[in-house]
Amino acid sequence: DIDVILVNSPYTKRYFNSFLNNDEFDSIISSYGNYFNFNKILNFNDSNFYDRDHLNQYGVEKYNRYIINKILDTK
Protein backbone atom coordinates (compact mmCIF):
# COMPACT_ATOMS: atom_id res chain seq x y z
CA ASP A 1 0.00 0.00 0.00
CA ILE A 2 1.42 3.38 -1.02
CA ASP A 3 0.55 6.61 0.76
CA VAL A 4 0.09 9.49 -1.63
CA ILE A 5 0.26 13.11 -0.61
CA LEU A 6 -0.97 15.69 -3.09
CA VAL A 7 0.27 19.26 -2.88
CA ASN A 8 -0.38 22.56 -4.55
CA SER A 9 2.99 24.28 -4.31
CA PRO A 10 3.14 27.98 -3.50
CA TYR A 11 2.86 30.74 -6.07
CA THR A 12 2.98 34.48 -5.57
CA LYS A 13 -0.33 35.72 -4.17
CA ARG A 14 -1.14 37.68 -7.31
CA TYR A 15 -0.52 34.68 -9.57
CA PHE A 16 -2.46 32.27 -7.32
CA ASN A 17 -5.39 34.67 -7.09
CA SER A 18 -5.50 34.93 -10.88
CA PHE A 19 -6.82 31.35 -11.07
CA LEU A 20 -10.56 30.83 -10.93
CA ASN A 21 -12.28 28.30 -8.66
CA ASN A 22 -9.39 27.62 -6.29
CA ASP A 23 -11.78 26.35 -3.62
CA GLU A 24 -13.53 24.04 -6.06
CA PHE A 25 -10.18 22.67 -7.23
CA ASP A 26 -9.13 22.06 -3.61
CA SER A 27 -12.37 20.24 -2.90
CA ILE A 28 -11.99 17.92 -5.88
CA ILE A 29 -8.30 17.14 -5.32
CA SER A 30 -8.73 16.57 -1.58
CA SER A 31 -11.26 13.82 -2.35
CA TYR A 32 -8.34 11.73 -3.70
CA GLY A 33 -6.36 11.65 -0.45
CA ASN A 34 -4.09 13.78 1.71
CA TYR A 35 -3.96 17.17 0.01
CA PHE A 36 -2.25 20.36 1.07
CA ASN A 37 -2.60 23.70 -0.69
CA PHE A 38 0.46 25.57 0.46
CA ASN A 39 -0.87 28.79 -1.01
CA LYS A 40 -3.39 28.75 1.83
CA ILE A 41 -1.30 27.08 4.53
CA LEU A 42 1.92 29.10 4.37
CA ASN A 43 2.18 32.85 4.22
CA PHE A 44 4.79 33.55 1.58
CA ASN A 45 5.42 37.08 0.38
CA ASP A 46 6.91 38.08 -2.94
CA SER A 47 10.42 38.25 -1.45
CA ASN A 48 10.29 34.41 -1.10
CA PHE A 49 10.03 33.95 -4.88
CA TYR A 50 12.47 34.02 -7.76
CA ASP A 51 9.56 34.52 -10.15
CA ARG A 52 5.79 34.01 -9.96
CA ASP A 53 5.93 30.23 -9.54
CA HIS A 54 9.46 29.43 -8.32
CA LEU A 55 10.68 29.93 -4.78
CA ASN A 56 14.09 31.46 -4.15
CA GLN A 57 16.55 29.78 -1.76
CA TYR A 58 15.01 31.32 1.35
CA GLY A 59 11.53 30.29 0.22
CA VAL A 60 12.68 26.76 -0.60
CA GLU A 61 14.19 26.35 2.86
CA LYS A 62 11.00 27.58 4.51
CA TYR A 63 8.83 25.35 2.31
CA ASN A 64 11.04 22.28 2.77
CA ARG A 65 11.01 22.56 6.57
CA TYR A 66 7.24 22.78 6.62
CA ILE A 67 6.48 20.07 4.04
CA ILE A 68 8.89 17.56 5.62
CA ASN A 69 7.15 18.01 8.98
CA LYS A 70 3.73 17.76 7.33
CA ILE A 71 4.68 14.50 5.61
CA LEU A 72 6.03 13.04 8.84
CA ASP A 73 2.84 14.05 10.66
CA THR A 74 0.65 12.16 8.18
CA LYS A 75 2.36 8.83 8.91
Side-chain angles (χ1 to χ4, degrees):
D1 194 27
I2 298 174
D3 291 327
V4 176
I5 298 173
L6 304 166
V7 300
N8 190 346
S9 298
Y11 302 110
T12 60
K13 287 182 187 359
R14 182 176 180 187
Y15 187 54
F16 176 72
N17 290 332
S18 72
F19 298 116
L20 302 176
N21 303 321
N22 285 315
D23 292 334
E24 182 179 356
F25 177 83
D26 289 346
S27 177
I28 292 166
I29 297 302
S30 65
S31 71
Y32 293 103
N34 291 321
Y35 169 69
F36 303 103
N37 185 339
F38 287 102
N39 294 287
K40 295 180 178 179
I41 295 171
L42 295 176
N43 187 22
F44 284 104
N45 58 45
D46 288 350
S47 67
N48 297 128
F49 290 88
Y50 173 75
D51 58 24
R52 70 182 184 181
D53 55 352
H54 293 96
L55 294 165
N56 61 27
Q57 188 61 42
Y58 176 77
V60 167
E61 291 171 9
K62 181 178 176 180
Y63 179 63
N64 285 350
R65 278 191 305 272
Y66 192 87
I67 198 167
I68 289 168
N69 288 328
K70 206 61 155 153
I71 290 168
L72 294 174
D73 287 345
T74 63
K75 294 194 174 262

